[in-house]
Amino acid sequence: MSARILDGQALAGRLREEITPQVAEFARRHGRPPGLAIVLVGQNAASEIYVRNKLKAGRDVGFRPDLERLPETASLADLLALVARLNGSAVHDGILVQSPLPKGLGGDAASRVFDAIAPEKDVDGFTPGNVGRLVQGRPTLVPCTPLGIIELLTREGIPVAGRRACIIGRSEIVGKPMALLLLQRDATVTICHSKTPDLAAVCREADILVAATGRAGLVTKAFVKPGATVVDVGMNTITDLAVAMQWFPEGHPRLARFHERGSMLVGDVHPDVADVAGALTPVPGGVGPLTIAMLMMNTLRAARARAAT
Ligand code: GUN
């Protein structure tokens, strides 16, 4: 069997086409486009790329996307002051503080900063009130990556109700909200993590397996029930040729590109899993583009809710 590839890039394109006229309609009605402020603190190569992609997507759908940069040397007070200014801004409907934050800000910086974002502008869905509403199944802004995965499963006609779902990873950004969204849709949900004994056997029970561990190639064929849907949230960069050759055979286009660039983006799921799975999201081109598309959806939603009050 060779798994059906679930093309997140194509779905993200369709979502952008759906949202663009709605953004234009919002701008016509309210005399301004929805505004999205993205805060980037310090220097982080991966964050630079993610933020650039988010800003471009915002521009493409017709938002006002504003980048607010703070230097590596900024204090937590500087960052909290910036968030306070954006909370009070009339033109910004969404605020996203890109993580990770510089280590120098302290271990609890991320939670202190996310806690400070106005819940109605929290397009990441990370503030405690919005998380609580999600736990209770009430309408709220929901974290973009799990929201994108639900959108993908729905539009691809992959049933969730009554199925067994297994999530590897218990992060606030992906694992926990993913579990809640699947539970709300009547899946039987297991959350696995680094201390789960016999991880492969637990995962093999799943009809829907979501891998969000940050460990390249952790999920092999032994983790996958034949015909299962496998969603790969991993974004891992490989720079070692010997490792790259464990992923793709000589002559494979991905390996040829590795030779040109000296690096390669891979997921948590080894490509051999396609021999066993029924459906599989690729990396790149799977969950990543959907996360950005859902950020656009959340920002429009936040803008509409603010305009209605
Ligand atoms: N860093 C990696 N993913 C995310 C995300 O979804 N939101 C924010 N704010 N930072 C991230």
Side-chain angles (χ1 to χ4, degrees), residues 4 23 28 58 94 96-97 103-104 126 138 174 198 243 256 285 294:
R4 177 158 65 103
V23 172
R28 193 188 58 70
L96 181 147
V97 179
K103 289 205 173 15
F126 291 169
R138 294 202 264 167
V174 182
D198 205 352
V243 177
M294 299 325 282

Side-chain angles (χ1 to χ4, degrees), residues 6 21 33 52 66 106 115 146 149 158 183 221 256 283 305:
L6 303 174
R52 196 186 321 136
D66 287 328
D115 285 2
I149 293 169
I158 293 166
L183 185 62
K221 285 196 228 186
V283 175

Side-chain angles (χ1 to χ4, degrees), residues 71-226:
E72 189 86 25
T73 52
S75 66
L76 185 55
D78 295 334
L79 181 49
L80 290 170
L82 173 57
V83 169
R85 174 167 70 75
L86 294 169
N87 282 343
S89 161
V91 297
H92 293 108
D93 303 287
I95 303 170
L96 181 147
V97 179
Q98 185 67 24
S99 69
L101 293 171
K103 289 205 173 15
L105 288 175
D108 64 347
S111 54
R112 290 195 50 193
V113 171
F114 292 138
D115 285 2
I117 295 173
E120 68 277 13
K121 296 190 178 187
D122 170 29
V123 286
D124 263 325
F126 291 169
T127 58
N130 285 337
V131 174
R133 293 176 69 87
L134 175 62
V135 171
Q136 294 181 335
R138 294 202 264 167
T140 190
L141 290 163
V142 173
C144 301
T145 299
L147 197 58
I149 293 169
I150 292 292
E151 192 72 29
L152 182 71
L153 296 176
T154 306
R155 297 213 185 201
E156 292 283 347
I158 293 166
V160 173
R163 303 299 156 116
R164 278 184 174 264
C166 183
I167 300 146
I168 321 176
R170 51 181 156 177
S171 70
E172 310 297 333
I173 296 183
V174 182
K176 287 182 192 170
M178 185 80 255
L180 291 164
L181 291 177
L182 289 166
L183 185 62
Q184 271 172 17
R185 286 158 182 78
D186 298 322
T188 300
V189 180
T190 305
I191 305 179
C192 302
H193 46 76
S194 54
K195 305 280 190 300
T196 302
D198 205 352
L199 182 61
V202 179
C203 292
R204 250 190 337 265
E205 297 275 307
D207 303 299
I208 299 168
L209 176 60
V210 180
T213 69
R215 289 183 56 191
L218 174 80
V219 175
T220 60
K221 285 196 228 186
F223 285 57
V224 179
K225 175 173 162 176

